Amino acid sequence: RHSLWPPASMANLKYRVLLIVGLFAASAWALFPRTVVERVKRDGVFVYDTVRRVPLKRGLDLQGGMHLTLEVDESKQAVANKSEALDRALKVVRQRIDEFGVSEPVVQKVGNDRIIVELPGIDDPERAQDVVQKSAFLEFQITDETGALEKATPRFDEIARAAGIAVGSQAAGTPAAGDSAKSTSVTSLLTQKSDSAPKDSAAVAGTTGTDSAAAKPVAGGLFANNVQPGQIPGQYIVSETAFPAIDRALQLPAIQAAMPPGKVIRWGVVDTVETGAQRFRALYVLDARPIITGEVLTDARPNTDPVEGNVVQFTLNNEGARRFKVETGKHIRDNMAIVLDQKVITAPTLQSAIGRNGQITLGGGTLQAAQDLALVLRAGALPVPLKVAEVRQIGASLGNDSVNKGIFALIVAFGLVLAIMIAYYKLSGALAVAALVLYMVYTMAMLAGFNAVLTLPGLAGFVLSIGIAVDANVLIFERIREELDQGKSVRLAIDEGFRHALSAIVDTSAATILSGMVLYQYGTGPVRGFAVTLVAGLVASLFTAIFVSKTFFLIWLNRSRGTQTLSI
């Protein structure tokens, strides 16, 4: 009765073979070396370049990189609900790291007070820390034109004198008019994109600030002797020697309470400006209420302008564009400060209302600085300040040794399995080894297709899953032996062997898959890499042991017509 197959069985076998061949072709395509775009460092600047490689991503322990532990910074103020704040910060950090260009970063929360960041292959740790930690809270604020600081200076001096804050030498030089203009001039720092409507366009020109520069400095005390008017309204110049005392005084609660109503004081983002033999810092008095904040930004991209240099072009959403246009229209000829993380980047003069598009000019800033600023603006501001609690560098040489040892272990494991299976189960063992080869291809393709990270523990999980895959075949073969010992035909014994062994194989694999999912959910770094490869291997193992192996047996039965004795 086994001499001929029913047509339905032949059709079923055909579909099985087509499915196996199709999956193998898809797997080969997923693992085929291809040209990919990667972020590389050239001449101190990160650029995107094309390289050709197998699309399997290596983890931190295989190619080296950087490990960061972040905590909430409560040095300035306490955070009520750190766990909730850290959840919100996690999303921002993850988005920044994703745009940073690392091949496969790990960003996750650990406990209720820490964020772990792992950056494989990173070779600029200082820049990575800066991108992760930067608050990136952007504000557009109008500079003060009421002389609020001059009016509050006597009170500030009294508070500083009472607190014992003073400069070693109270006589701080005032920069010459020409030198001051050279160091603090602001030219074309905020412009409108060329595709904006003409009525929304803004041309920002340099400011001479002659009226403000001619203002007489107030006399007496820390602030009176060391804070001099700058080139634009609301801008002041502080000598480098007086900066520590002024900065310390501005942090006093009494001075913050004595601040003019509706005003805030911010330092310039450029730390120092050299003018001849003297060094100065810029100080700004701004309206406390910002025109808009970075929350209304929808996009920010770096660019290089032949006149302005490196810039960051930004786009606002509908609400932000409407509000920005109305507010800037009220302040024509006023100076608007662009404030990032409470430091003034620029303070250009508004020549007309600004609509949806604009740009931030970095002056002498590098293109990399523009790229980083655009990156953090797109990702948004951190809800709480973060600090680096721990940083570790992992060398790439260790990774190469680990890869070699892992591959060697994989070859040894496969070789031993091949020898034992063929020696013990003969033809059936050879069929199982053929299925095992497909299993390895399918597993690696799954890792590549889902952008999983291959780590050293992941290689261990892959080797372990080979043993699990063979274990399924052992269960099936032993069951087939039992059916043959009971006198059943070869075809019936194969069918019964696969059917009765199915429940044990599925139960064992399901339990291990659930364990791997728990490890992935609550583990970090290498533990997650182990879990990913283990689960991927188990899924591929179920398919090859149950479906592929049986298909090979059906092909053998079709060729022998069931007349030969099964070698098992």
Side-chain angles (χ1 to χ4, degrees):
R1 61 175 177 270
H2 300 298
S3 58
L4 293 175
W5 279 50
S9 298
M10 290 296 296
N12 182 51
L13 179 60
K14 178 181 178 181
Y15 291 134
R16 280 175 169 265
V17 173
L18 288 177
L19 178 59
I20 294 172
V21 172
L23 288 176
F24 180 80
S27 299
W29 169 253
L31 294 173
F32 189 76
R34 64 196 63 194
T35 300
V36 295
V37 178
E38 286 189 347
R39 186 169 173 273
V40 295
K41 189 175 184 180
R42 290 181 177 173
D43 299 328
V45 178
F46 281 91
V47 296
Y48 288 91
D49 197 4
T50 56
V51 295
R52 188 170 181 82
R53 64 172 178 83
V54 176
L56 267 177
K57 297 180 179 179
R58 294 178 296 167
L60 187 67
D61 55 346
L62 294 187
Q63 63 172 324
M66 182 178 180
H67 173 95
L68 288 173
T69 301
L70 305 176
E71 293 180 345
V72 176
D73 187 359
E74 298 183 279
S75 59
K76 294 185 178 180
Q77 65 178 32
V79 178
N81 191 339
K82 287 199 295 185
S83 179
E84 181 181 349
L86 215 60
D87 286 334
R88 291 184 286 121
L90 180 65
K91 297 179 181 179
V92 178
V93 172
R94 181 176 287 122
Q95 185 173 348
R96 291 184 186 182
I97 292 300
D98 287 343
E99 294 195 24
F100 191 64
V102 181
S103 61
E104 186 61 31
V106 174
V107 182
Q108 65 179 17
K109 182 180 175 183
V110 178
N112 294 321
D113 58 352
R114 288 193 169 194
I115 293 177
I116 297 297
V117 179
E118 294 183 350
L119 307 175
I122 196 68
D123 58 354
D124 193 355
E126 293 183 0
R127 178 169 175 249
Q129 292 185 57
D130 183 59
V131 168
V132 169
Q133 286 183 281
K134 186 176 291 184
S135 297
F137 185 65
L138 182 68
E139 300 171 283
F140 295 82
Q141 296 168 280
I142 300 299
T143 61
D144 173 60
E145 296 187 350
T146 64
L149 182 60
E150 285 86 344
K151 297 174 184 178
T153 293
R155 177 59 179 157
F156 284 3
D157 286 337
E158 291 179 8
I159 297 172
R161 191 178 299 112
I165 300 177
V167 183
S169 175
Q170 287 288 340
T174 304
D179 292 338
S180 180
K182 179 181 177 181
S183 63
T184 59
S185 61
V186 181
T187 58
S188 302
L189 294 175
L190 183 71
T191 59
Q192 191 75 0
K193 283 187 178 179
S194 59
D195 60 352
S196 301
K199 64 180 180 179
D200 291 343
S201 64
V204 180
T207 60
T208 58
T210 53
D211 296 339
S212 193
K216 295 182 179 181
V218 292
L222 175 66
F223 285 82
N225 289 344
N226 297 285
V227 179
Q228 308 298 333
Q231 284 297 108
I232 62 175
Q235 182 192 61
Y236 299 87
I237 304 301
V238 178
S239 67
E240 179 69 19
T241 55
F243 167 73
I246 297 291
D247 187 52
R248 189 164 68 252
L250 289 175
Q251 297 178 23
L252 293 175
I255 284 188
Q256 294 179 5
M259 201 76 68
K263 303 296 179 182
V264 293
I265 297 179
R266 299 285 183 254
W267 290 104
V269 71
V270 179
D271 290 339
T272 60
V273 177
E274 294 189 13
T275 305
Q278 295 177 320
R279 296 164 64 91
F280 300 93
R281 300 206 182 200
L283 186 70
Y284 295 85
V285 179
L286 313 173
D287 290 347
R289 185 185 71 86
I291 292 178
I292 58 171
T293 66
E295 295 178 351
V296 298
L297 259 69
T298 58
D299 193 19
R301 298 291 172 185
N303 202 352
T304 300
D305 187 273
V307 177
E308 307 294 345
N310 295 314
V311 301
V312 175
Q313 297 175 333
F314 62 85
T315 304
L316 307 176
N317 60 22
N318 292 333
E319 178 187 356
R322 178 187 59 78
R323 195 185 342 156
F324 201 37
K325 183 178 180 181
V326 171
E327 293 292 337
T328 53
K330 296 177 182 178
H331 294 280
I332 303 300
R333 306 302 302 175
D334 293 342
N335 290 87
M336 181 181 68
I338 303 172
V339 186
L340 180 68
D341 293 342
Q342 299 188 351
K343 284 193 174 184
V344 177
I345 301 177
T346 61
T349 301
L350 293 171
Q351 300 291 2
S352 63
I354 302 176
R356 181 180 299 275
N357 302 311
Q359 72 180 28
I360 301 172
T361 301
L362 303 184
T366 63
L367 179 59
Q368 179 174 297
Q371 293 172 345
D372 289 347
L373 177 58
L375 186 156
V376 296
L377 290 180
R378 287 196 303 271
L382 286 172
V384 289
L386 298 177
K387 64 179 180 180
V388 176
E390 180 188 9
V391 56
R392 296 200 308 266
Q393 292 292 117
I394 299 178
S397 59
L398 175 63
N400 291 332
D401 292 340
S402 301
V403 171
N404 294 333
K405 291 177 181 178
I407 293 176
F408 179 74
L410 184 64
I411 294 174
V412 171
F414 182 77
L416 289 175
V417 167
L418 184 148
I420 294 173
M421 291 297 292
I422 294 179
Y424 191 74
Y425 290 109
K426 301 184 174 54
L427 174 64
S428 299
L431 297 179
V433 168
L436 192 61
V437 172
L438 290 178
Y439 151 80
M440 296 176 64
V441 174
Y442 292 158
T443 302
M444 299 300 288
M446 287 176 63
L447 295 176
F450 288 103
N451 293 322
V453 188
L454 188 61
T455 62
L456 182 60
L459 286 174
F462 189 42
V463 174
L464 178 62
S465 62
I466 291 178
I468 297 176
V470 172
D471 182 64
N473 288 113
V474 170
L475 289 175
I476 294 171
F477 292 167
E478 292 301 323
R479 188 67 190 187
I480 291 176
R481 278 182 169 182
E482 293 180 4
E483 299 298 334
L484 290 174
D485 291 341
Q486 296 177 6
K488 295 182 179 179
S489 64
V490 172
R491 182 181 177 189
L492 185 59
I494 292 174
D495 289 338
E496 292 293 322
F498 275 92
R499 185 169 64 86
H500 289 299
L502 179 62
S503 59
I505 296 172
V506 172
D507 290 346
T508 304
S509 299
T512 311
I513 289 175
L514 289 176
S515 300
M517 293 173 64
V518 172
L519 287 176
Y520 181 84
Q521 179 66 29
Y522 297 104
T524 62
V527 175
R528 299 187 79 180
F530 172 81
V532 168
T533 53
L534 181 61
V535 171
L538 286 168
V539 172
S541 170
L542 281 172
F543 177 75
T544 54
I546 297 173
F547 187 87
V548 176
S549 294
K550 187 172 183 179
T551 301
F552 287 165
F553 275 107
L554 292 177
I555 293 174
W556 177 81
L557 286 172
N558 182 49
R559 293 177 62 86
S560 64
R561 296 294 188 264
T563 58
Q564 297 182 11
T565 302
L566 179 62
S567 175
I568 197 171

